[in-house]
Amino acid sequence: MPIYLEPQYFAFEAVPWAEVIRGSQDGVELQFSRYASLKQLKNDWTLYHELAHLYHPLLNYKDFWISEGLATFLQNQIMKDSGVITHENMMMRIKAGLERGKANTYRLSYLKDARLSSVASNMWQLNAQQRVYWSGVAFFY
C-alpha cells in the first residue's frame, strides 16, 4: 500500500494532517513534522486512524459518522494492541472523546435538522467533528 510522505517544516504537532487517497490502489498521504522524532510519530494517533479507514469503502457525507467512528474506535484499539497506549489510557481517551461528542451534540441542538446524518453532511461547516466522530465510536463501542 502506498504511503505518500510529505514533510512539513512548520508544524506544531508530529502529524498535522493525513488522509486516505482512494483510487486504483488506495493509500495514505501523511504530512508530518520534519523535526518530529520517531517516538513522537509512533505515539501520534493520525496514521493509525487513516489506516483504519482502509477497512471500509468510501462512504457518502451523511454516513461519515460510520467511517469516522470506526476509524476512531479502531485507532485506539490498534494503539493499545501494539503497546503504544495502555488499556487504561485507551479507556480514558474513549471516555473523554465521548464527553466531547456529547457536549458537541448539545451545542448543535439548536439546528432545525439536528439528525446525525444531516450534521455529518455539514460536519466541517458546523464544526461538528466531535459529534460525528464520537457518535460513530459510541455505535461501535
Side-chain angles (χ1 to χ4, degrees):
M1 172 189 52
I3 296 181
Y4 305 99
L5 300 174
E6 300 288 337
Q8 303 296 308
Y9 289 90
F10 301 104
F12 295 105
E13 50 195 318
V15 183
W17 180 258
E19 66 181 320
V20 169
I21 306 297
R22 301 282 184 175
S24 59
Q25 185 178 15
D26 292 344
V28 174
E29 177 184 323
L30 183 69
Q31 294 184 14
F32 65 96
S33 170
R34 170 68 181 86
Y35 304 105
S37 68
L38 180 58
K39 182 177 181 177
Q40 288 173 307
L41 293 170
K42 285 173 68 175
N43 289 336
D44 187 274
W45 61 268
T46 312
L47 182 58
Y48 305 101
H49 180 92
E50 296 306 325
L51 291 172
H53 275 302
L54 297 174
Y55 283 105
H56 61 79
L58 180 62
L59 301 174
N60 293 324
Y61 287 116
K62 68 181 182 60
D63 299 320
F64 267 10
W65 69 272
I66 296 170
S67 61
E68 294 302 346
L70 179 61
T72 303
F73 178 77
L74 288 176
Q75 93 194 19
N76 285 288
Q77 290 290 321
I78 294 165
M79 291 176 80
K80 177 191 70 77
D81 292 347
S82 62
V84 175
I85 60 175
T86 65
H87 177 78
E88 293 77 21
N89 188 257
M90 178 187 75
M91 296 310 295
M92 244 177 16
R93 289 172 180 226
I94 290 173
K95 182 179 180 196
L98 291 171
E99 289 296 324
R100 288 193 306 274
K102 182 179 177 181
N104 199 219
T105 299
Y106 288 136
R107 185 184 66 75
L108 297 166
S109 63
Y110 72 91
L111 294 172
K112 184 176 181 179
D113 185 359
R115 292 175 301 155
L116 183 55
S117 61
S118 178
V119 171
S121 292
N122 299 297
M123 177 176 69
W124 296 107
Q125 297 88 344
L126 296 171
N127 195 24
Q129 296 89 332
Q130 296 299 318
R131 176 172 184 206
V132 171
Y133 282 51
W134 290 98
S135 292
V137 171
F139 175 79
F140 288 104
Y141 193 71

